[in-house]
Amino acid sequence: MYKKVWLGLLTAAMVAGLTACGSKAAEETTAKAAGDSVDGEVTIHLMMSNSQELGVSAAVEAFNKAYEGKIKCETDYVAFNDVFETLEVLMSNKSTEYDIFAADGPNVAAYVSRGYLQPLNQWISDDEIKMFTDAMITEGTYKDQFYGAPMGNSSTVLYYNKALLKEAGINIDFDSVTPDNRLTWEQLIDYSKQALDVLDPDHSKGIYGIEFQQVGRVYQMNILPNSLGGAQISEDGLSVDGVIDTQPWMDALNFYQTQVNDGIFTRGISADDTSSYFQSGKILFYLGTTALPAAFEKNGFEDWGFTYIPCFEGHEDEIRSACGSWTIGMNTYSVKQEAAAEFIKYLTLYDGADVYINASGMVPALDRQFTDELKKAKPYMVMAEYEVKNTALVRAITPAFNEYSTAMNALWDNVRNGAEVAGAVDDCKAELETAFKEYE
């Protein structure tokens, strides 16, 4: 097994050491990689987030059986919180340790701008690219080249606590909810107020009306302005001026702050904790990904139902939903690109894609994978299929996504915590204006 990535690699001292090794060490590493084969079997090396180990390990096992004697894939699974920094350290030093690696969808543009990713178009045809859903093509593409092949996707539905609704005496005809006849945010606010008047009139029980699974994070929070017609970022990906200060954004931010102040949305609960609050009967309506039912089952939580995410009244045709997940990219410095391309296609387009989806429970990235069998076993995938094909909007396409998400997450948190909205927007714009200059 190829050497493991160790945490010490992330220290400044190790960075300096790697840089000091010079061209001789790089040549030795390349020579070792080029000769990494036994009896004609080429070994390729994959760095993957451990959050994807369940699905990827199953696909890797299947690949190694299918390609026995030709190509073998060895995989290192890195803790989610270490993936990004580990990758930066390795790739900034032109490492050939990994031929292929996990590239979180929103970071594809950043990795391309730094020269880390090899375009896949010479191995994956236009017709094969079209096998992916449109939003996933957008997420994996930068400047008209396809770099990040999506392994899966994600989607958001509206969960509700059936026991709380029953206790509050609120009857909602969920069977009548369709993509063209959704509940509105205004209705959810009204239902929440009615329920809280019964369940927790003095707010002593800590029950809330609505919350996002990923509160404070652009992945789901931007649903609000996006569903009022707001964009994620400028067309060139290097400005939020004329974006987050527009009416859709200001309306969304003020709407959110008002509902936090009124006790409809939570305050002070982190994204890591919202799921446990929902499952313990503290949240009535919960916008979460379709990965949650596995956790519900594991925890013995049964008082839940699901429906389509809400729209704003008068903006029914502007509904937007969150999407995106991990892609897999090819190291531009790899000396085994043909073998790496075989693995990428197997994992994302063909047999391995099905192994991955079945084992991981992720939303499919391929149109063909939304089978009747899948939707019968997991009925919420019916909603996921509609959203990813009709309303999904990828996160901001920008080489500065890390800076963008940090500043925008802070904007949502500041508004949640009571900051004056216009001032918070101005602060965010100023921070990102400085950050974007590094990429101009």
Side-chain angles (χ1 to χ4, degrees):
M1 189 67 169
Y2 223 49
K3 63 182 180 181
K4 297 285 186 180
V5 175
W6 57 93
L7 291 178
L9 185 64
L10 303 181
T11 65
M14 182 58 74
V15 174
L18 283 168
T19 305
C21 286
S23 60
K24 181 178 179 181
E27 290 169 3
E28 291 174 352
T29 302
T30 301
K32 179 180 178 182
D36 193 7
S37 63
V38 178
D39 296 329
E41 183 180 68
V42 178
T43 300
I44 56 175
H45 303 278
L46 165 66
M47 186 183 82
M48 179 57 60
S49 167
N50 66 354
S51 66
Q52 299 302 304
E53 185 169 358
L54 185 64
V56 172
S57 62
V60 167
E61 181 180 357
F63 175 85
N64 287 339
K65 288 181 180 178
Y67 283 78
E68 186 174 1
K70 299 177 182 178
I71 307 172
K72 180 180 180 181
C73 179
E74 294 187 348
T75 310
D76 287 338
Y77 296 96
V78 180
F80 175 81
N81 290 334
D82 296 329
V83 168
F84 306 100
E85 194 170 0
T86 299
L87 185 59
E88 285 296 331
V89 171
L90 291 169
M91 295 306 299
S92 64
N93 287 279
K94 300 183 179 181
S95 171
T96 59
E97 179 162 350
Y98 295 103
D99 303 286
I100 39 186
F101 55 80
D104 196 18
N107 283 303
V108 167
Y111 295 153
V112 173
S113 70
R114 293 173 190 146
Y116 298 168
L117 289 174
Q118 182 73 10
L120 299 175
N121 301 78
Q122 71 184 89
W123 297 285
I124 301 179
S125 69
D126 289 345
D127 285 342
E128 287 175 320
I129 291 173
K130 290 176 183 177
M131 292 168 65
F132 297 111
T133 55
D134 289 346
M136 292 300 87
I137 296 172
T138 300
E139 186 167 71
T141 301
Y142 189 60
K143 294 185 176 179
D144 299 323
Q145 293 286 306
F146 190 63
Y147 292 91
M151 299 185 298
N153 195 356
S154 61
S155 189
T156 297
V157 298
L158 177 66
Y159 296 101
Y160 52 89
N161 188 303
K162 294 191 290 186
L164 289 180
L165 285 174
K166 182 177 181 180
E167 185 179 348
I170 294 178
N171 298 306
I172 301 173
D173 183 10
F174 289 108
D175 290 338
S176 69
V177 178
T178 68
D180 298 321
N181 184 40
R182 299 172 186 259
L183 293 170
T184 66
W185 280 106
E186 291 79 4
Q187 286 177 305
L188 289 187
I189 299 301
D190 186 52
Y191 288 135
S192 295
K193 289 179 178 179
Q194 292 180 47
L196 293 178
D197 284 345
V198 175
L199 301 172
D200 193 10
D202 59 0
H203 306 292
S204 61
K205 298 179 181 178
I207 299 176
Y208 296 89
I210 310 169
E211 193 49 279
F212 289 93
Q213 178 186 359
Q214 295 196 25
V215 61
R217 298 175 184 172
V218 294
Y219 170 71
Q220 286 180 333
M221 299 307 300
N222 283 19
I223 287 175
L224 295 173
N226 295 157
S227 294
L228 288 169
Q232 305 279 42
I233 199 167
S234 63
E235 289 188 9
D236 67 0
L238 292 173
S239 178
V240 292
D241 188 26
V243 177
I244 65 173
D245 50 1
T246 59
Q247 200 62 49
W249 272 88
M250 299 303 288
D251 287 348
L253 290 165
N254 279 294
F255 165 83
Y256 178 59
Q257 187 174 73
T258 297
Q259 306 314 322
V260 171
N261 290 341
D262 288 349
I264 303 300
F265 283 92
T266 73
R267 176 183 282 146
I269 299 173
S270 74
D272 294 332
D273 296 326
T274 59
S275 178
S276 62
Y277 269 74
F278 177 65
Q279 293 178 66
S280 62
K282 298 297 184 181
I283 297 172
L284 190 63
F285 299 106
Y286 188 58
L287 287 91
T289 69
T290 54
L292 281 170
F296 297 162
E297 182 178 0
K298 180 181 178 181
N299 296 330
F301 176 57
E302 299 179 347
D303 290 326
W304 60 279
F306 58 92
T307 189
Y308 291 93
I309 63 172
C311 61
F312 282 102
E313 217 171 79
H315 297 268
E316 290 80 1
D317 60 346
E318 293 181 290
I319 182 72
R320 294 292 178 266
S321 61
C323 68
S325 186
W326 292 95
T327 74
I328 185 167
M330 183 187 296
N331 182 350
T332 193
Y333 305 112
S334 170
V335 296
K336 294 173 283 187
Q337 294 189 355
E338 292 296 328
E342 281 292 319
F343 177 80
I344 291 173
K345 293 180 70 169
Y346 179 88
L347 175 63
T348 63
L349 286 166
Y350 299 110
D351 291 351
D354 299 324
V355 173
Y356 171 80
I357 288 298
N358 290 334
S360 69
M362 294 291 289
V363 173
L366 298 167
D367 280 322
R368 67 170 178 80
Q369 291 178 312
F370 285 101
T371 62
D372 291 340
E373 181 181 8
L374 174 68
K375 290 180 284 189
K376 182 177 180 181
K378 300 176 179 180
Y380 42 86
M381 286 296 182
V382 173
M383 296 175 186
E385 179 181 24
Y386 180 85
E387 304 294 20
V388 302
K389 293 183 178 181
N390 294 278
T391 68
L393 181 65
V394 299
R395 282 162 282 185
I397 303 294
T398 172
F401 183 77
N402 286 342
E403 294 90 336
Y404 171 89
S405 61
T406 297
M408 295 295 291
N409 290 352
L411 171 62
W412 284 109
D413 280 341
N414 290 338
V415 168
R416 184 190 193 195
N417 291 323
E420 191 266 328
V421 170
V425 168
D426 287 342
D427 290 344
C428 182
K429 286 169 54 180
E431 180 179 344
L432 284 174
E433 182 179 355
T434 300
F436 288 142
K437 287 180 179 178
E438 298 293 324
Y439 298 88
E440 294 176 349

